[in-house]
Amino acid sequence: MNYKKVLCIAGSENLGCAGVQADIKAVSACGAFGAGAVTCLVNKDSLHVKGVHPLPVEWVVQAVRLFLDDPKAEAVKTGMLFTRELIEALAGLFRDYPDIPKVVDPVMVSFGGDRLIEWDAVEAYRNVLFPLATIITPNYREACLLLGHDFGHESVEDDMAVLCRAGNACIVKSFRKDGKHRDVLGMPSAGGLRIRFFEKDYIDTRNVEGSGCSFSSSMAAYLAQGCGLEEAVERAETYIHGAIGKGAAYSFGAGFGPVCHF
Ligand code: PXL
């Protein structure tokens, strides 16, 4: 028997709510084998990031290559990469593994509003990593940063076309308009960009730290197990909605708590 393996390339977060800790829980809950190549160490409490300690780029690249060359992964997910140097190095490496599905979560800000990226890295995401991604999973705030304006203010379709310009699919999470709460999926197809909305009941909870990490990781877990992209997105939507719903019942510190992964 073979495990279906997901390599999560992400930051380590001391609370276990977000980052590689959340990734591995989500991958495990969704039936795959989760591995982690750590990019940086984040210290925070449930309200704020207190420090970020990036690991050397060569170290991260070695960790990724060792996994992809030997046990090998059926899917890769990237989370907090933090620097332009690491994004560029990973893009160089990913070109050697074109057949592995890649979920790129362009982590930029925490729920507490703290920055999780160096600003010159935003450009590197757009230019070198998105063209290699199967799907990118920005949340609403990250989509606005990538676009340079409010997502969906003029036209959701035009903004999705920009976010999918490199040939990748994209899902923008938590877009609120007209009292509705939606995720917007864009998939390049032969007939042009196909857009699909996932409407959600709003769950009133602060336990959403790491929900983006967990969502993208669950998608990678489903891709690793052979689902097509749209099915992987649908199943990840169901998974994260359930995990947020269950997590809402718990207390966890003074600020943002985790989703309930299992
Ligand atoms: O949820 C975003 C996120 C991702 N990755 C790491 C984090 C955080 C939020 O704090 O610490 C490592």
Side-chain angles (χ1 to χ4, degrees):
M1 285 211 294
N2 287 320
Y3 290 109
K4 301 298 181 191
K5 302 175 284 315
V6 178
L7 177 62
C8 305
I9 307 167
S12 166
E13 186 257 20
N14 58 319
L15 301 187
C17 298
V20 80
Q21 286 83 348
D23 292 337
I24 291 175
K25 291 182 220 182
V27 168
S28 309
C30 295
F33 178 98
V38 175
T39 59
C40 57
L41 309 176
V42 174
N43 274 355
K44 61 195 269 279
D45 60 20
S46 66
L47 286 164
H48 285 296
V49 172
K50 305 292 183 183
V52 177
H53 194 70
L55 295 178
V57 169
E58 316 77 64
W59 182 266
V60 182
V61 166
Q62 183 188 43
V64 174
R65 214 180 260 289
L66 289 171
F67 197 95
L68 297 186
D69 283 345
D70 186 5
K72 300 184 172 63
E74 280 69 39
V76 163
K77 170 249 150 96
T78 68
M80 180 172 170
L81 302 180
F82 196 59
T83 65
R84 176 176 56 80
E85 290 76 11
L86 181 58
I87 293 171
E88 289 174 350
L90 285 178
L93 184 159
F94 283 169
R95 289 194 192 97
D96 295 338
Y97 307 88
D99 298 330
I100 304 178
K102 297 170 193 77
V103 179
V104 171
D105 186 21
V107 172
M108 295 182 191
V109 225
S110 74
F111 270 97
D114 298 307
R115 186 149 65 95
L116 301 172
I117 190 169
E118 293 182 348
W119 290 131
D120 63 349
V122 178
E123 196 62 27
Y125 264 119
R126 270 196 297 257
N127 293 338
V128 300
L129 206 47
F130 291 173
L132 302 168
T134 309
I135 185 164
I136 66 169
T137 62
N139 60 28
Y140 173 76
R141 271 199 286 189
E142 289 155 354
C144 297
L145 287 168
L146 287 164
L147 290 164
H149 61 250
D150 279 359
F151 173 81
H153 185 63
E154 296 271 321
S155 157
V156 168
E157 287 74 15
D158 289 354
D159 287 344
M160 288 306 285
V162 172
L163 293 169
C164 295
R165 191 156 47 195
N168 52 279
C170 171
I171 184 158
V172 176
K173 298 163 294 186
S174 301
F175 169 53
R176 289 183 213 185
K177 202 174 183 182
D178 307 327
K180 293 194 174 127
H181 202 81
R182 295 163 157 172
D183 292 350
V184 190
L185 172 66
M187 278 178 303
S189 71
L193 188 67
R194 198 152 67 77
I195 307 252
R196 183 170 162 192
F197 292 93
F198 292 88
E199 222 159 271
K200 309 189 284 190
D201 295 329
Y202 181 68
I203 302 169
D204 189 14
T205 175
R206 275 154 71 90
N207 294 338
V208 286
E209 189 70 71
S211 54
C213 307
S214 306
F215 176 62
S216 52
S217 296
S218 69
M219 200 182 298
Y222 292 126
L223 288 171
Q225 290 169 91
C227 293
L229 182 59
E230 195 164 2
E231 186 188 350
V233 172
E234 286 166 1
R235 292 177 74 162
E237 283 281 339
T238 305
Y239 170 69
I240 199 62
H241 201 65
I244 294 172
K246 275 206 163 180
Y250 292 86
S251 306
F252 192 96
F256 298 96
V259 306
C260 180
H261 287 96
F262 292 99

